[in-house]
Amino acid sequence: MKQTGDFSKYNDYELLYLVRTNVEEAREILFWKYSFLIKSRIYRLGVPRMYWDDYYQEGCMMLHHAIKIYDEDSRMSFTRFFELLLKRRIITLLRKDLKDKEIEKVEDFDDYPSYIVEDNYNVLLENFDYNFTKMEKIAYERLLMHNEKIENVAKELGLSSKSLSNAKQRVIKKIKKEVNK
């Protein structure tokens, strides 16, 4: 069991047992395996890029905590248990950090990152150049930033609801593409 590759044949429960019996290689495998989940949740919950390293460290600490307190007899898998702890921790930190930076949440965390700076536009716009079209700018500002209904904006501006909806989807794709870089 000295080689890291030996652990690929073990499931989470076996790795947890080995970690709890002080097999350091098993701990390294669990941390490597769950590093992808931590990074994914940081992105999906809309953590601003400047905080990614800090939140990753918090995620690793939550993984360590989850390993210590997880009960194998529970109905929840270890992955689901850790994911729940991680999501709660990230949301708690986001609320604190964004409140400190005068940023407030306007959309559901699971959809896409969408935060407003009180005296400025979106934090994401400050960091990236999206090259939005005129329709995409309208969709971004009215639909995403101010959470207005597509039908109301389309009617007010004499636009098609479908074209405005498509512009909104393009904006979301551009934001996700830029954040993934």
Side-chain angles (χ1 to χ4, degrees):
M1 279 198 203
K2 292 179 182 168
Q3 292 182 356
T4 308
D6 293 343
F7 287 97
S8 63
K9 60 187 172 195
Y10 294 101
N11 65 36
D12 284 350
Y13 300 103
E14 292 167 325
L15 288 170
L16 285 169
Y17 172 78
L18 292 170
V19 167
R20 290 175 179 169
T21 57
N22 295 320
V23 177
E24 190 58 36
E25 293 88 3
R27 180 181 311 280
E28 289 174 15
I29 293 294
L30 271 176
F31 273 83
W32 174 81
K33 179 180 178 182
Y34 283 97
S35 69
F36 300 103
L37 177 66
I38 294 168
K39 291 173 186 176
S40 168
R41 290 304 169 261
I42 288 169
Y43 167 72
R44 288 190 66 217
L45 292 172
V47 175
R49 193 174 256 181
M50 64 185 169
Y51 295 125
W52 284 3
D53 289 338
D54 295 336
Y55 280 67
Y56 180 77
Q57 291 300 319
E58 286 287 336
C60 290
M61 290 189 303
M62 287 309 302
L63 179 57
H64 178 73
H65 180 66
I67 291 169
K68 287 186 352 185
I69 68 169
Y70 179 70
D71 179 12
E72 289 86 0
D73 296 328
S74 72
R75 293 181 181 176
M76 192 179 291
S77 70
F78 177 75
T79 301
R80 183 68 186 117
F81 176 72
F82 171 61
E83 190 174 25
L84 183 64
L85 289 179
L86 179 65
K87 184 175 181 178
R88 287 178 179 168
R89 181 66 179 152
I90 290 173
I91 290 172
T92 300
L93 290 171
L94 266 176
R95 286 184 178 140
K96 180 189 175 299
D97 287 342
L98 298 179
K99 182 179 179 188
D100 291 347
K101 302 293 184 207
E102 296 181 335
I103 300 172
E104 60 186 61
K105 176 181 163 308
V106 295
E107 293 293 335
D108 184 26
F109 278 108
D110 289 327
D111 290 339
Y112 44 86
S114 181
Y115 300 93
I116 298 175
V117 180
E118 284 182 68
D119 295 328
N120 217 330
Y121 281 114
N122 193 299
V123 169
L124 294 171
L125 280 184
E126 291 177 358
N127 296 321
F128 308 114
D129 178 23
Y130 295 104
N131 297 320
F132 289 149
T133 65
K134 185 177 179 180
M135 181 77 76
E136 289 169 347
K137 285 179 184 175
I138 292 168
Y140 177 80
E141 291 174 17
R142 303 282 299 271
L143 304 178
L144 299 176
M145 295 290 290
H146 299 290
N147 205 24
E148 295 181 46
K149 294 188 182 242
I150 291 174
E151 296 79 21
N152 296 346
V153 174
K155 185 176 180 181
E156 177 186 328
L157 299 175
L159 301 169
S160 153
S161 293
K162 180 67 175 164
S163 62
L164 199 52
S165 176
N166 289 341
K168 177 182 174 183
Q169 294 308 313
R170 287 192 307 273
V171 167
I172 293 169
K173 283 181 184 177
K174 284 183 179 183
I175 291 172
K176 285 183 178 181
K177 182 180 177 185
E178 192 65 38
V179 169
N180 277 333
K181 285 183 180 179

